[in-house]
Amino acid sequence: MHADATLTPNAQSVVMPRWTVAAVAELLARPFADLLFDAQRVHRANHASNAVQLSTLVSVKTGGCSEDCGYCPQAARFHTGVDNEAMLDVEAVVTAARAAKDAGATRFCMGAAWRGPKQRDLEPVLAMVREVKALGMETCATLGMLKDGQADQLREAGLDYYNHNLDTAPEFYGQIVSTRAYEDRLATLERVRGAGIHVCCGGIVGMGETRLQRAGLIAQLASLDPYPESVPINHLVQVEGTPLHAALHGESALDPLEFVRTIAVARITMPRTMVRLSAGRRELGEAVQALCFLAGANSIFYGDRLLTTGNPDVDADRALFSKLGMVPLASTA
Ligand code: SAM
Ligand code: DTB
Ligand code: SF4
């Protein structure tokens, strides 16, 4: 597929072509129709056209987080109206997973508002993973930074994917989060890979980053070796009380076409990955989402809630798929 000069990254290795920030920035700057055309071509060469993978999220431990991620309603230090709740019990999670499966989701992702799990926190999550896996669903968890051995325990329990986002370019990260470093994220991703768990890793756009910084995020993701199996691209959901809410930050929302470009570039640089249209779908509306699918997105978070914020309801998504002639992807579990 790299025969076309417009799709050629700066190859540093025969096995894994490396994408430089400059090469990704060049892609982002292409005429919109050319970019989408190439993204759709890469998409069709690597995936079923018109198929969308459905992942449902549940927050198994909400709020009270010790970290200071500027976008996040669950950080204890921001006054967002999200309370520090107790962990859900295993039965409640299994009930939610069964409902998600019945609604057509193939993957179930369990999220926790932690810097990382303590061993006593991990035990109930391992039970959740075992039971959700037993339903015949793909399992995913996002629990923050993992210590040595924790990824192996998750793998043994039956975890298929671990979500851990790089979120933005390395040089912008310090302006968004101060309680941990980019390198900490990369270290957890290595532990996840080392344990044989599939990597789900993406980021957020619309946080006031420059286009070059968006290119920096995509270049980082595409240069992970191998690149992630799933790449969630979130559009910042501005939550009142967080530092990145416009009222405090003064940032205007990102141009939706720039969001579509980011999706297209993720597709081109990571041809085989599942590009997930993630947070912010409600705000994007149907037309922009349709452009995102054309740009190569082939997965969504499906269900009425994300973790603490809203998502299009299941009926609205079904109606959208029907309008677009799209069909849910069958389970690969
Ligand atoms: N605490 C764990 C961690 O930070 O890795 C897992 C849960 S955390 C909520 C998962 C991801 O949700 C973040 O990395 C970020 O990409 C996304 N996220 C959180 N708040 C968001 C918001 N307001 N808008 C868009 N994405 C958001
Ligand atoms: C991801 O990249 N996005 C999801 C999931 N992984 C865990 C989370 C989005 C959270 C949006 C804000 C909220 O609902 O709290
Ligand atoms: Fe905590 Fe994760 Fe939110 Fe950061 S993104 S404040 S680590 S829940």
Side-chain angles (χ1 to χ4, degrees), residues 53-72:
Q53 187 275 332
L54 307 180
S55 292
T56 293
L57 263 176
V58 69
S59 180
V60 302
K61 165 66 188 82
T62 302
C65 185
S66 62
E67 301 292 277
D68 71 348
C69 313
Y71 45 79
C72 188

PDB file of all heavy atoms in Angstrom, residues 53-72:
ATOM      1  N   GLN A  53     -17.554  -1.935  14.648  1.00  0.00           N
ATOM      2  CA  GLN A  53     -17.388  -2.729  15.865  1.00  0.00           C
ATOM      3  C   GLN A  53     -17.978  -1.958  17.038  1.00  0.00           C
ATOM      4  O   GLN A  53     -17.776  -0.751  17.146  1.00  0.00           O
ATOM      5  CB  GLN A  53     -15.879  -3.015  16.062  1.00  0.00           C
ATOM      6  CG  GLN A  53     -15.529  -3.974  17.182  1.00  0.00           C
ATOM      7  CD  GLN A  53     -15.418  -3.291  18.524  1.00  0.00           C
ATOM      8  OE1 GLN A  53     -15.090  -2.120  18.608  1.00  0.00           O
ATOM      9  NE2 GLN A  53     -15.727  -4.017  19.577  1.00  0.00           N
ATOM     10  N   LEU A  54     -18.704  -2.644  17.911  1.00  0.00           N
ATOM     11  CA  LEU A  54     -19.399  -1.974  19.015  1.00  0.00           C
ATOM     12  C   LEU A  54     -18.813  -2.378  20.364  1.00  0.00           C
ATOM     13  O   LEU A  54     -18.825  -3.557  20.733  1.00  0.00           O
ATOM     14  CB  LEU A  54     -20.889  -2.329  18.976  1.00  0.00           C
ATOM     15  CG  LEU A  54     -21.627  -2.087  17.644  1.00  0.00           C
ATOM     16  CD1 LEU A  54     -23.099  -2.501  17.767  1.00  0.00           C
ATOM     17  CD2 LEU A  54     -21.517  -0.628  17.220  1.00  0.00           C
ATOM     18  N   SER A  55     -18.316  -1.386  21.094  1.00  0.00           N
ATOM     19  CA  SER A  55     -17.790  -1.607  22.446  1.00  0.00           C
ATOM     20  C   SER A  55     -18.675  -0.851  23.428  1.00  0.00           C
ATOM     21  O   SER A  55     -18.990   0.316  23.184  1.00  0.00           O
ATOM     22  CB  SER A  55     -16.377  -1.028  22.587  1.00  0.00           C
ATOM     23  OG  SER A  55     -15.450  -1.733  21.827  1.00  0.00           O
ATOM     24  N   THR A  56     -19.022  -1.509  24.520  1.00  0.00           N
ATOM     25  CA  THR A  56     -19.795  -0.808  25.562  1.00  0.00           C
ATOM     26  C   THR A  56     -18.916  -0.596  26.785  1.00  0.00           C
ATOM     27  O   THR A  56     -18.167  -1.480  27.194  1.00  0.00           O
ATOM     28  CB  THR A  56     -21.072  -1.602  25.911  1.00  0.00           C
ATOM     29  OG1 THR A  56     -21.925  -1.570  24.766  1.00  0.00           O
ATOM     30  CG2 THR A  56     -21.809  -0.989  27.094  1.00  0.00           C
ATOM     31  N   LEU A  57     -19.041   0.617  27.333  1.00  0.00           N
ATOM     32  CA  LEU A  57     -18.246   1.012  28.490  1.00  0.00           C
ATOM     33  C   LEU A  57     -19.088   0.939  29.751  1.00  0.00           C
ATOM     34  O   LEU A  57     -20.271   1.291  29.715  1.00  0.00           O
ATOM     35  CB  LEU A  57     -17.895   2.491  28.354  1.00  0.00           C
ATOM     36  CG  LEU A  57     -16.562   2.951  27.795  1.00  0.00           C
ATOM     37  CD1 LEU A  57     -16.578   4.474  27.700  1.00  0.00           C
ATOM     38  CD2 LEU A  57     -15.407   2.485  28.652  1.00  0.00           C
ATOM     39  N   VAL A  58     -18.469   0.528  30.848  1.00  0.00           N
ATOM     40  CA  VAL A  58     -19.125   0.741  32.141  1.00  0.00           C
ATOM     41  C   VAL A  58     -18.066   1.235  33.125  1.00  0.00           C
ATOM     42  O   VAL A  58     -16.915   0.787  33.099  1.00  0.00           O
ATOM     43  CB  VAL A  58     -19.861  -0.521  32.643  1.00  0.00           C
ATOM     44  CG1 VAL A  58     -18.904  -1.614  33.036  1.00  0.00           C
ATOM     45  CG2 VAL A  58     -20.758  -0.185  33.814  1.00  0.00           C
ATOM     46  N   SER A  59     -18.471   2.191  33.928  1.00  0.00           N
ATOM     47  CA  SER A  59     -17.553   2.712  34.932  1.00  0.00           C
ATOM     48  C   SER A  59     -17.701   1.854  36.178  1.00  0.00           C
ATOM     49  O   SER A  59     -18.710   1.918  36.873  1.00  0.00           O
ATOM     50  CB  SER A  59     -17.897   4.171  35.238  1.00  0.00           C
ATOM     51  OG  SER A  59     -16.994   4.666  36.206  1.00  0.00           O
ATOM     52  N   VAL A  60     -16.694   1.021  36.460  1.00  0.00           N
ATOM     53  CA  VAL A  60     -16.805   0.107  37.609  1.00  0.00           C
ATOM     54  C   VAL A  60     -16.384   0.794  38.900  1.00  0.00           C
ATOM     55  O   VAL A  60     -16.693   0.334  39.994  1.00  0.00           O
ATOM     56  CB  VAL A  60     -16.009  -1.213  37.398  1.00  0.00           C
ATOM     57  CG1 VAL A  60     -16.482  -1.933  36.139  1.00  0.00           C
ATOM     58  CG2 VAL A  60     -14.509  -0.994  37.372  1.00  0.00           C
ATOM     59  N   LYS A  61     -15.665   1.902  38.758  1.00  0.00           N
ATOM     60  CA  LYS A  61     -15.277   2.696  39.942  1.00  0.00           C
ATOM     61  C   LYS A  61     -15.232   4.153  39.489  1.00  0.00           C
ATOM     62  O   LYS A  61     -14.352   4.542  38.724  1.00  0.00           O
ATOM     63  CB  LYS A  61     -13.914   2.230  40.463  1.00  0.00           C
ATOM     64  CG  LYS A  61     -13.247   3.191  41.449  1.00  0.00           C
ATOM     65  CD  LYS A  61     -14.025   3.325  42.763  1.00  0.00           C
ATOM     66  CE  LYS A  61     -13.464   4.440  43.654  1.00  0.00           C
ATOM     67  NZ  LYS A  61     -13.965   5.786  43.249  1.00  0.00           N
ATOM     68  N   THR A  62     -16.206   4.901  39.964  1.00  0.00           N
ATOM     69  CA  THR A  62     -16.384   6.278  39.474  1.00  0.00           C
ATOM     70  C   THR A  62     -15.866   7.308  40.476  1.00  0.00           C
ATOM     71  O   THR A  62     -16.114   7.194  41.682  1.00  0.00           O
ATOM     72  CB  THR A  62     -17.897   6.526  39.225  1.00  0.00           C
ATOM     73  OG1 THR A  62     -18.368   5.561  38.282  1.00  0.00           O
ATOM     74  CG2 THR A  62     -18.144   7.928  38.684  1.00  0.00           C
ATOM     75  N   GLY A  63     -15.176   8.312  39.959  1.00  0.00           N
ATOM     76  CA  GLY A  63     -14.845   9.519  40.736  1.00  0.00           C
ATOM     77  C   GLY A  63     -13.767   9.354  41.793  1.00  0.00           C
ATOM     78  O   GLY A  63     -13.240   8.270  42.028  1.00  0.00           O
ATOM     79  N   GLY A  64     -13.413  10.491  42.380  1.00  0.00           N
ATOM     80  CA  GLY A  64     -12.467  10.495  43.502  1.00  0.00           C
ATOM     81  C   GLY A  64     -11.030  10.233  43.102  1.00  0.00           C
ATOM     82  O   GLY A  64     -10.209   9.862  43.950  1.00  0.00           O
ATOM     83  N   CYS A  65     -10.695  10.451  41.837  1.00  0.00           N
ATOM     84  CA  CYS A  65      -9.355  10.087  41.373  1.00  0.00           C
ATOM     85  C   CYS A  65      -8.311  11.096  41.858  1.00  0.00           C
ATOM     86  O   CYS A  65      -8.549  12.301  41.896  1.00  0.00           O
ATOM     87  CB  CYS A  65      -9.345  10.006  39.844  1.00  0.00           C
ATOM     88  SG  CYS A  65      -7.770   9.420  39.191  1.00  0.00           S
ATOM     89  N   SER A  66      -7.148  10.560  42.190  1.00  0.00           N
ATOM     90  CA  SER A  66      -6.073  11.397  42.741  1.00  0.00           C
ATOM     91  C   SER A  66      -5.349  12.235  41.690  1.00  0.00           C
ATOM     92  O   SER A  66      -4.603  13.145  42.038  1.00  0.00           O
ATOM     93  CB  SER A  66      -5.041  10.496  43.427  1.00  0.00           C
ATOM     94  OG  SER A  66      -4.475   9.612  42.447  1.00  0.00           O
ATOM     95  N   GLU A  67      -5.570  11.913  40.385  1.00  0.00           N
ATOM     96  CA  GLU A  67      -4.791  12.567  39.327  1.00  0.00           C
ATOM     97  C   GLU A  67      -5.383  13.937  38.949  1.00  0.00           C
ATOM     98  O   GLU A  67      -6.491  14.275  39.369  1.00  0.00           O
ATOM     99  CB  GLU A  67      -4.742  11.660  38.093  1.00  0.00           C
ATOM    100  CG  GLU A  67      -4.138  10.304  38.363  1.00  0.00           C
ATOM    101  CD  GLU A  67      -2.656  10.384  38.684  1.00  0.00           C
ATOM    102  OE1 GLU A  67      -1.847  10.433  37.757  1.00  0.00           O
ATOM    103  OE2 GLU A  67      -2.310  10.386  39.874  1.00  0.00           O
ATOM    104  N   ASP A  68      -4.633  14.679  38.126  1.00  0.00           N
ATOM    105  CA  ASP A  68      -5.101  16.034  37.782  1.00  0.00           C
ATOM    106  C   ASP A  68      -5.280  16.239  36.272  1.00  0.00           C
ATOM    107  O   ASP A  68      -5.044  17.337  35.769  1.00  0.00           O
ATOM    108  CB  ASP A  68      -4.162  17.097  38.371  1.00  0.00           C
ATOM    109  CG  ASP A  68      -2.807  17.155  37.671  1.00  0.00           C
ATOM    110  OD1 ASP A  68      -2.490  16.233  36.872  1.00  0.00           O
ATOM    111  OD2 ASP A  68      -2.074  18.124  37.905  1.00  0.00           O
ATOM    112  N   CYS A  69      -5.688  15.204  35.563  1.00  0.00           N
ATOM    113  CA  CYS A  69      -5.882  15.297  34.112  1.00  0.00           C
ATOM    114  C   CYS A  69      -6.911  16.405  33.825  1.00  0.00           C
ATOM    115  O   CYS A  69      -8.068  16.314  34.267  1.00  0.00           O
ATOM    116  CB  CYS A  69      -6.379  13.962  33.564  1.00  0.00           C
ATOM    117  SG  CYS A  69      -5.405  12.564  34.195  1.00  0.00           S
ATOM    118  N   GLY A  70      -6.485  17.425  33.098  1.00  0.00           N
ATOM    119  CA  GLY A  70      -7.273  18.660  32.960  1.00  0.00           C
ATOM    120  C   GLY A  70      -8.597  18.501  32.254  1.00  0.00           C
ATOM    121  O   GLY A  70      -9.462  19.378  32.328  1.00  0.00           O
ATOM    122  N   TYR A  71      -8.788  17.375  31.586  1.00  0.00           N
ATOM    123  CA  TYR A  71     -10.027  17.139  30.844  1.00  0.00           C
ATOM    124  C   TYR A  71     -11.050  16.355  31.666  1.00  0.00           C
ATOM    125  O   TYR A  71     -12.196  16.223  31.275  1.00  0.00           O
ATOM    126  CB  TYR A  71      -9.715  16.327  29.564  1.00  0.00           C
ATOM    127  CG  TYR A  71      -8.763  15.155  29.808  1.00  0.00           C
ATOM    128  CD1 TYR A  71      -9.224  13.967  30.355  1.00  0.00           C
ATOM    129  CD2 TYR A  71      -7.407  15.259  29.528  1.00  0.00           C
ATOM    130  CE1 TYR A  71      -8.368  12.907  30.623  1.00  0.00           C
ATOM    131  CE2 TYR A  71      -6.539  14.200  29.784  1.00  0.00           C
ATOM    132  CZ  TYR A  71      -7.016  13.032  30.334  1.00  0.00           C
ATOM    133  OH  TYR A  71      -6.171  11.998  30.608  1.00  0.00           O
ATOM    134  N   CYS A  72     -10.627  15.794  32.803  1.00  0.00           N
ATOM    135  CA  CYS A  72     -11.405  14.685  33.383  1.00  0.00           C
ATOM    136  C   CYS A  72     -12.340  15.074  34.517  1.00  0.00           C
ATOM    137  O   CYS A  72     -11.919  15.627  35.540  1.00  0.00           O
ATOM    138  CB  CYS A  72     -10.455  13.592  33.868  1.00  0.00           C
ATOM    139  SG  CYS A  72     -11.380  12.121  34.383  1.00  0.00           S
TER     140      CYS A  72
END
